[in-house]
């Protein structure tokens, strides 16, 4: 455990010497003094810092891949829902909509949500609109009763 801070300090020193060319003389003179005492430690710390950099790089790559995968899964969830599936979700959620007198038609898209109009066939046959209400179905399958603009009650 006591070697870790020492290795970290030496790897930081090596990193700064590679980045800073103006102070090369002062750093190289101080590093030459310390390098005679611990040249084997510097070699092991540089290989350790290289290994640590590879681990960090691999971790970042893994995180980026998992973000890409989660974004793709969200996109497929949104695009997989069809009008027929949305209509079926309404019928499953509101069994009373299965009545012979009810009709449900696609009305509009609001972002990725489907908006359906529910109407009474008997009332519309008498000359009225027969509108009973509206249903909004999200891509995840959530069903909400709404007004004609899709705003939930």
């Amino acid at each position: 455990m006591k070697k870790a801070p020492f290795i970290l300090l030496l790897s930081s020193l090596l990193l700064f010497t590679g980045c800073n060319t103006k102070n090369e003389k002062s750093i190289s003179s101080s590093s030459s003094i310390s390098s005679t005492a611990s040249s084997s430690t510097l070699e092991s710390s540089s290989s350790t810092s290289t290994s640590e950099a590879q681990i960090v790089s691999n971790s970042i790559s893994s995180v980026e891949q998992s973000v890409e995968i989660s974004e793709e899964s969200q996109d497929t969830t949104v695009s997989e829902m069809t009008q027929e599936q949305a209509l079926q979700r309404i019928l499953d959620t509101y069994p009373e909509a299965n009545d012979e007198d009810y009709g449900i038609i696609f009305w509009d898209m609001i972002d990725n949500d489907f908006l359906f109009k529910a109407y009474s066939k008997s009332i519309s046959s008498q000359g009225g609109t027969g509108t009973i209400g509206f249903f909004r179905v999200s891509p995840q399958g959530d069903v909400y009763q709404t007004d004609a603009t899709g705003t939930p009650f």
Side-chain angles (χ1 to χ4, degrees), residues 8-26:
L8 184 61
L9 180 64
L10 286 176
S11 62
S12 299
L13 178 67
L14 289 174
L15 180 64
F16 287 122
T17 41
C19 295
N20 193 357
T21 57
K22 290 183 179 181
N23 296 331
E24 188 174 314
K25 292 181 182 177
S26 64

PDB file of all heavy atoms in Angstrom, residues 8-26:
ATOM      1  N   LEU A   8       2.590   6.624  -7.899  1.00  0.00           N
ATOM      2  CA  LEU A   8       1.745   7.675  -8.453  1.00  0.00           C
ATOM      3  C   LEU A   8       2.503   8.986  -8.576  1.00  0.00           C
ATOM      4  O   LEU A   8       2.415   9.675  -9.586  1.00  0.00           O
ATOM      5  CB  LEU A   8       0.503   7.862  -7.574  1.00  0.00           C
ATOM      6  CG  LEU A   8      -0.531   8.866  -8.051  1.00  0.00           C
ATOM      7  CD1 LEU A   8      -1.077   8.456  -9.412  1.00  0.00           C
ATOM      8  CD2 LEU A   8      -1.656   8.982  -7.055  1.00  0.00           C
ATOM      9  N   LEU A   9       3.309   9.310  -7.570  1.00  0.00           N
ATOM     10  CA  LEU A   9       4.111  10.529  -7.596  1.00  0.00           C
ATOM     11  C   LEU A   9       5.144  10.474  -8.719  1.00  0.00           C
ATOM     12  O   LEU A   9       5.313  11.436  -9.474  1.00  0.00           O
ATOM     13  CB  LEU A   9       4.799  10.740  -6.241  1.00  0.00           C
ATOM     14  CG  LEU A   9       5.677  11.979  -6.108  1.00  0.00           C
ATOM     15  CD1 LEU A   9       4.824  13.230  -6.241  1.00  0.00           C
ATOM     16  CD2 LEU A   9       6.409  11.968  -4.797  1.00  0.00           C
ATOM     17  N   LEU A  10       5.805   9.350  -8.865  1.00  0.00           N
ATOM     18  CA  LEU A  10       6.807   9.206  -9.914  1.00  0.00           C
ATOM     19  C   LEU A  10       6.182   9.219 -11.310  1.00  0.00           C
ATOM     20  O   LEU A  10       6.732   9.811 -12.243  1.00  0.00           O
ATOM     21  CB  LEU A  10       7.618   7.927  -9.704  1.00  0.00           C
ATOM     22  CG  LEU A  10       8.638   7.978  -8.558  1.00  0.00           C
ATOM     23  CD1 LEU A  10       9.300   6.628  -8.388  1.00  0.00           C
ATOM     24  CD2 LEU A  10       9.678   9.046  -8.793  1.00  0.00           C
ATOM     25  N   SER A  11       5.018   8.583 -11.455  1.00  0.00           N
ATOM     26  CA  SER A  11       4.362   8.590 -12.766  1.00  0.00           C
ATOM     27  C   SER A  11       3.895  10.001 -13.124  1.00  0.00           C
ATOM     28  O   SER A  11       3.948  10.403 -14.287  1.00  0.00           O
ATOM     29  CB  SER A  11       3.206   7.596 -12.806  1.00  0.00           C
ATOM     30  OG  SER A  11       2.232   7.944 -11.858  1.00  0.00           O
ATOM     31  N   SER A  12       3.457  10.773 -12.130  1.00  0.00           N
ATOM     32  CA  SER A  12       3.075  12.167 -12.382  1.00  0.00           C
ATOM     33  C   SER A  12       4.283  12.977 -12.814  1.00  0.00           C
ATOM     34  O   SER A  12       4.205  13.812 -13.716  1.00  0.00           O
ATOM     35  CB  SER A  12       2.470  12.799 -11.135  1.00  0.00           C
ATOM     36  OG  SER A  12       1.321  12.122 -10.753  1.00  0.00           O
ATOM     37  N   LEU A  13       5.432  12.723 -12.167  1.00  0.00           N
ATOM     38  CA  LEU A  13       6.667  13.409 -12.524  1.00  0.00           C
ATOM     39  C   LEU A  13       7.054  13.104 -13.961  1.00  0.00           C
ATOM     40  O   LEU A  13       7.418  14.002 -14.719  1.00  0.00           O
ATOM     41  CB  LEU A  13       7.797  13.003 -11.561  1.00  0.00           C
ATOM     42  CG  LEU A  13       9.177  13.611 -11.822  1.00  0.00           C
ATOM     43  CD1 LEU A  13       9.122  15.110 -11.576  1.00  0.00           C
ATOM     44  CD2 LEU A  13      10.208  12.954 -10.937  1.00  0.00           C
ATOM     45  N   LEU A  14       6.936  11.839 -14.349  1.00  0.00           N
ATOM     46  CA  LEU A  14       7.248  11.450 -15.730  1.00  0.00           C
ATOM     47  C   LEU A  14       6.284  12.096 -16.717  1.00  0.00           C
ATOM     48  O   LEU A  14       6.684  12.501 -17.805  1.00  0.00           O
ATOM     49  CB  LEU A  14       7.213   9.931 -15.870  1.00  0.00           C
ATOM     50  CG  LEU A  14       8.363   9.173 -15.202  1.00  0.00           C
ATOM     51  CD1 LEU A  14       8.119   7.681 -15.288  1.00  0.00           C
ATOM     52  CD2 LEU A  14       9.688   9.537 -15.853  1.00  0.00           C
ATOM     53  N   LEU A  15       5.052  12.190 -16.334  1.00  0.00           N
ATOM     54  CA  LEU A  15       4.040  12.798 -17.206  1.00  0.00           C
ATOM     55  C   LEU A  15       4.347  14.272 -17.422  1.00  0.00           C
ATOM     56  O   LEU A  15       4.301  14.772 -18.545  1.00  0.00           O
ATOM     57  CB  LEU A  15       2.648  12.639 -16.587  1.00  0.00           C
ATOM     58  CG  LEU A  15       1.487  13.219 -17.377  1.00  0.00           C
ATOM     59  CD1 LEU A  15       1.349  12.488 -18.707  1.00  0.00           C
ATOM     60  CD2 LEU A  15       0.207  13.120 -16.593  1.00  0.00           C
ATOM     61  N   PHE A  16       4.711  14.995 -16.344  1.00  0.00           N
ATOM     62  CA  PHE A  16       5.015  16.411 -16.482  1.00  0.00           C
ATOM     63  C   PHE A  16       6.301  16.656 -17.264  1.00  0.00           C
ATOM     64  O   PHE A  16       6.426  17.636 -17.974  1.00  0.00           O
ATOM     65  CB  PHE A  16       5.098  17.089 -15.109  1.00  0.00           C
ATOM     66  CG  PHE A  16       3.748  17.274 -14.473  1.00  0.00           C
ATOM     67  CD1 PHE A  16       3.467  16.732 -13.219  1.00  0.00           C
ATOM     68  CD2 PHE A  16       2.744  17.967 -15.127  1.00  0.00           C
ATOM     69  CE1 PHE A  16       2.233  16.894 -12.652  1.00  0.00           C
ATOM     70  CE2 PHE A  16       1.506  18.129 -14.554  1.00  0.00           C
ATOM     71  CZ  PHE A  16       1.244  17.596 -13.317  1.00  0.00           C
ATOM     72  N   THR A  17       7.283  15.779 -17.135  1.00  0.00           N
ATOM     73  CA  THR A  17       8.516  15.964 -17.904  1.00  0.00           C
ATOM     74  C   THR A  17       8.252  15.770 -19.384  1.00  0.00           C
ATOM     75  O   THR A  17       8.875  16.426 -20.215  1.00  0.00           O
ATOM     76  CB  THR A  17       9.632  14.990 -17.464  1.00  0.00           C
ATOM     77  OG1 THR A  17       9.092  13.712 -17.230  1.00  0.00           O
ATOM     78  CG2 THR A  17      10.404  15.497 -16.305  1.00  0.00           C
ATOM     79  N   GLY A  18       7.337  14.915 -19.744  1.00  0.00           N
ATOM     80  CA  GLY A  18       7.008  14.714 -21.152  1.00  0.00           C
ATOM     81  C   GLY A  18       6.221  15.877 -21.720  1.00  0.00           C
ATOM     82  O   GLY A  18       6.315  16.192 -22.906  1.00  0.00           O
ATOM     83  N   CYS A  19       5.454  16.571 -20.902  1.00  0.00           N
ATOM     84  CA  CYS A  19       4.600  17.664 -21.370  1.00  0.00           C
ATOM     85  C   CYS A  19       5.290  19.017 -21.341  1.00  0.00           C
ATOM     86  O   CYS A  19       4.954  19.907 -22.106  1.00  0.00           O
ATOM     87  CB  CYS A  19       3.336  17.743 -20.515  1.00  0.00           C
ATOM     88  SG  CYS A  19       2.292  16.299 -20.680  1.00  0.00           S
ATOM     89  N   ASN A  20       6.235  19.227 -20.451  1.00  0.00           N
ATOM     90  CA  ASN A  20       6.815  20.544 -20.249  1.00  0.00           C
ATOM     91  C   ASN A  20       8.261  20.551 -20.754  1.00  0.00           C
ATOM     92  O   ASN A  20       9.148  19.994 -20.140  1.00  0.00           O
ATOM     93  CB  ASN A  20       6.759  20.893 -18.757  1.00  0.00           C
ATOM     94  CG  ASN A  20       7.040  22.356 -18.512  1.00  0.00           C
ATOM     95  OD1 ASN A  20       7.328  23.107 -19.439  1.00  0.00           O
ATOM     96  ND2 ASN A  20       6.955  22.755 -17.259  1.00  0.00           N
ATOM     97  N   THR A  21       8.538  21.214 -21.886  1.00  0.00           N
ATOM     98  CA  THR A  21       9.882  21.247 -22.458  1.00  0.00           C
ATOM     99  C   THR A  21      10.701  22.416 -21.959  1.00  0.00           C
ATOM    100  O   THR A  21      11.918  22.391 -22.018  1.00  0.00           O
ATOM    101  CB  THR A  21       9.805  21.310 -23.989  1.00  0.00           C
ATOM    102  OG1 THR A  21       9.044  22.455 -24.362  1.00  0.00           O
ATOM    103  CG2 THR A  21       9.185  20.062 -24.549  1.00  0.00           C
ATOM    104  N   LYS A  22      10.100  23.510 -21.435  1.00  0.00           N
ATOM    105  CA  LYS A  22      10.842  24.679 -20.947  1.00  0.00           C
ATOM    106  C   LYS A  22      11.628  24.358 -19.678  1.00  0.00           C
ATOM    107  O   LYS A  22      12.734  24.831 -19.488  1.00  0.00           O
ATOM    108  CB  LYS A  22       9.902  25.852 -20.676  1.00  0.00           C
ATOM    109  CG  LYS A  22       9.338  26.457 -21.927  1.00  0.00           C
ATOM    110  CD  LYS A  22       8.490  27.642 -21.580  1.00  0.00           C
ATOM    111  CE  LYS A  22       7.931  28.286 -22.831  1.00  0.00           C
ATOM    112  NZ  LYS A  22       7.125  29.449 -22.529  1.00  0.00           N
ATOM    113  N   ASN A  23      11.042  23.583 -18.787  1.00  0.00           N
ATOM    114  CA  ASN A  23      11.690  23.253 -17.520  1.00  0.00           C
ATOM    115  C   ASN A  23      12.439  21.937 -17.606  1.00  0.00           C
ATOM    116  O   ASN A  23      12.675  21.298 -16.602  1.00  0.00           O
ATOM    117  CB  ASN A  23      10.651  23.184 -16.398  1.00  0.00           C
ATOM    118  CG  ASN A  23      10.004  24.519 -16.146  1.00  0.00           C
ATOM    119  OD1 ASN A  23      10.631  25.552 -16.371  1.00  0.00           O
ATOM    120  ND2 ASN A  23       8.771  24.502 -15.688  1.00  0.00           N
ATOM    121  N   GLU A  24      12.821  21.548 -18.784  1.00  0.00           N
ATOM    122  CA  GLU A  24      13.456  20.250 -18.981  1.00  0.00           C
ATOM    123  C   GLU A  24      14.767  20.143 -18.216  1.00  0.00           C
ATOM    124  O   GLU A  24      15.077  19.115 -17.641  1.00  0.00           O
ATOM    125  CB  GLU A  24      13.684  20.023 -20.480  1.00  0.00           C
ATOM    126  CG  GLU A  24      14.152  18.636 -20.821  1.00  0.00           C
ATOM    127  CD  GLU A  24      14.224  18.444 -22.322  1.00  0.00           C
ATOM    128  OE1 GLU A  24      13.284  18.834 -23.012  1.00  0.00           O
ATOM    129  OE2 GLU A  24      15.245  17.927 -22.764  1.00  0.00           O
ATOM    130  N   LYS A  25      15.553  21.210 -18.199  1.00  0.00           N
ATOM    131  CA  LYS A  25      16.856  21.155 -17.535  1.00  0.00           C
ATOM    132  C   LYS A  25      16.701  20.980 -16.032  1.00  0.00           C
ATOM    133  O   LYS A  25      17.390  20.168 -15.425  1.00  0.00           O
ATOM    134  CB  LYS A  25      17.664  22.406 -17.846  1.00  0.00           C
ATOM    135  CG  LYS A  25      18.089  22.494 -19.294  1.00  0.00           C
ATOM    136  CD  LYS A  25      18.893  23.741 -19.543  1.00  0.00           C
ATOM    137  CE  LYS A  25      19.270  23.842 -21.010  1.00  0.00           C
ATOM    138  NZ  LYS A  25      19.985  25.067 -21.302  1.00  0.00           N
ATOM    139  N   SER A  26      15.818  21.754 -15.391  1.00  0.00           N
ATOM    140  CA  SER A  26      15.686  21.659 -13.942  1.00  0.00           C
ATOM    141  C   SER A  26      15.092  20.321 -13.536  1.00  0.00           C
ATOM    142  O   SER A  26      15.495  19.733 -12.546  1.00  0.00           O
ATOM    143  CB  SER A  26      14.835  22.814 -13.411  1.00  0.00           C
ATOM    144  OG  SER A  26      13.533  22.718 -13.918  1.00  0.00           O
TER     145      SER A  26
END
